[in-house]
Amino acid sequence: VIALSQEKKSEPACAICGTTHSRELYTAQDRLRNSAQAFVIAECPGCSVVRTLPALSSEELATYYPQDYWAESDEPSIDWIKSSQREKTDFLTSCGLMEGRILDVGCGAGFFLRALDPNKWERWGVEPGRNAASAATRAIGEDRLSCGDLLGASFESAKFDVVTLWSSLEHTSDPPAEVREVRRILKPGGTLIVQVPNIASYQARIFRGDWFALDAPRHRYHFSETTLKRVLVESALQPYRVTFRSRSHNSHSLRQSLKTRLLKIRPRAAGKGVFLLTIPFIKPCDSLLSLFSTGATITLAARAC
Ligand SMILES: [Zn+2]
């Protein structure tokens, strides 16, 4: 039995357009089962961005992050790190970005930064999770890592050639403020790379509250290409490259979403059996469906103008 929150909180205005009411689309529960609360996934009638409600405070939300979120207990090899980060480093290269001073916001244990050539890149990171941050510190140096959020790091203006937000912007309570800060610390002509789940994807439309990449309540804002571009352009960041493909995210997300959905609609044993049958077809299925709608992940590069 899903216990809907009886508490009627007044919702804070949409951070993008200021609209103070919203339209419920469906509900979703925490896939990590920190609570049985059903969160409302709602669309803003003003700008179409999708939000997780109620809007939890940072303190409330902290209890929804496991201690090891994005941090590994064992140190992996540099080869493993490079191979696991290939998609991100390839995207960087495809944007013509070869060297400079780079900041990874929400850098976790610093895997992306570690995959970059330290002779070409001066590597900086921001990470709120204490365990992950200390792992990143060991890799890139204490003076290059700020434990906390981006706004609290107070970097000087026009410091960076590249700022990356890999699976990070959707976690913030005020994405436009985060992007404005990125714009401030980017050099003119510098690049922001942002990767978020795509709420307009076929996966989000089919699986709704069972969509793996919804990750409520940790994901507070859910973007489409349109809403993401709006936030960037309003901060004088001009998008110049976008892709909806992701080898590392999309088929994994399809598999996990399918599992959640099947276990919900079938008795447990039968659900698991059906799920096992679908495994060989996951990747081709995702590629095929992505031709008709967009893929489950948006990766976008925008230039500071
Ligand atoms: Zn709005």
Side-chain angles (χ1 to χ4, degrees):
V1 178
I2 296 170
L4 275 164
S5 174
Q6 297 301 308
E7 206 178 344
K8 288 282 173 200
K9 288 183 183 173
S10 65
E11 297 302 340
C14 168
I16 296 171
C17 74
T19 300
T20 52
H21 58 286
S22 55
R23 189 170 65 83
E24 178 174 336
L25 301 175
Y26 44 83
T27 61
Q29 283 179 281
D30 176 13
R31 64 182 172 82
L32 302 178
R33 308 208 178 281
N34 292 295
S35 83
Q37 185 177 354
F39 294 93
V40 170
I41 307 302
E43 186 176 53
C44 173
C47 70
S48 300
V49 80
V50 176
R51 303 167 67 189
T52 302
L53 299 173
L56 301 181
S57 69
S58 299
E59 291 73 28
E60 289 171 312
L61 206 48
T63 64
Y64 285 87
Y65 285 87
Q67 273 299 303
D68 60 353
Y69 197 82
W70 290 129
E72 300 290 326
S73 45
D74 294 322
E75 284 294 319
S77 71
I78 188 66
D79 287 341
W80 183 89
I81 289 174
K82 282 189 174 170
S83 129
S84 75
Q85 302 299 309
R86 188 85 66 208
E87 192 165 66
K88 295 175 186 173
T89 50
D90 281 354
F91 188 79
L92 202 66
T93 308
S94 76
C95 294
L97 304 167
M98 303 298 180
E99 59 184 353
R101 187 180 288 150
I102 188 166
L103 171 69
D104 189 20
V105 179
C107 68
F111 287 169
F112 168 65
L113 294 170
R114 291 193 232 181
L116 299 174
D117 183 350
N119 297 314
K120 292 181 176 166
W121 291 99
E122 188 185 303
R123 305 169 300 172
W124 295 69
V126 173
E127 169 56 38
R130 224 170 299 154
N131 291 351
S134 66
T137 297
R138 286 195 295 276
I140 64 166
E142 202 170 345
D143 53 334
R144 296 284 179 79
L145 195 285
S146 176
C147 185
D149 60 13
L150 176 63
L151 288 144
S154 304
F155 290 110
E156 60 200 79
S157 298
K159 182 180 177 78
F160 296 100
D161 299 289
V162 181
V163 175
T164 54
L165 297 163
W166 303 110
S167 309
S168 153
L169 190 64
E170 65 273 27
H171 291 260
T172 65
S173 59
D174 191 343
E178 187 90 350
V179 171
R180 277 193 298 275
E181 179 66 0
V182 169
R183 176 63 190 84
R184 186 185 70 78
I185 62 176
L186 269 177
K187 294 176 185 174
T191 288
L192 162 66
I193 292 176
V194 55
Q195 185 174 71
V196 293
N198 180 10
I199 197 70
S201 64
Y202 83 86
Q203 284 189 23
R205 291 174 194 279
I206 290 174
F207 293 107
R208 298 159 65 90
D210 296 331
W211 185 39
F212 177 76
L214 202 60
D215 207 16
R218 287 166 295 279
H219 292 182
R220 306 201 243 201
Y221 278 80
H222 310 274
F223 295 95
S224 64
E225 181 186 15
T226 308
T227 51
L228 180 60
K229 281 184 171 173
R230 172 176 173 162
V231 172
L232 301 181
V233 168
E234 285 180 352
S235 278
L237 287 155
Q238 193 55 47
Y240 66 90
R241 189 176 189 91
V242 65
T243 178
F244 301 96
R245 291 171 176 275
S246 169
R247 290 190 306 276
S248 53
H249 290 298
N250 292 4
S251 59
H252 176 68
S253 165
L254 174 57
R255 183 178 299 118
Q256 295 300 324
S257 306
L258 205 53
K259 186 176 176 182
T260 303
R261 176 63 60 85
L262 289 174
L263 289 176
K264 195 181 267 185
I265 61 173
R266 297 267 174 185
R268 281 206 156 253
K272 272 179 184 155
V274 175
F275 170 63
L276 287 173
L277 287 174
T278 62
I279 287 175
F281 307 112
I282 291 285
K283 280 198 175 181
C285 245
D286 179 62
S287 303
L288 188 67
L289 288 165
S290 299
L291 294 176
F292 297 100
S293 175
T294 47
T297 308
I298 307 173
T299 309
L300 197 151
R303 191 168 285 118
C305 46

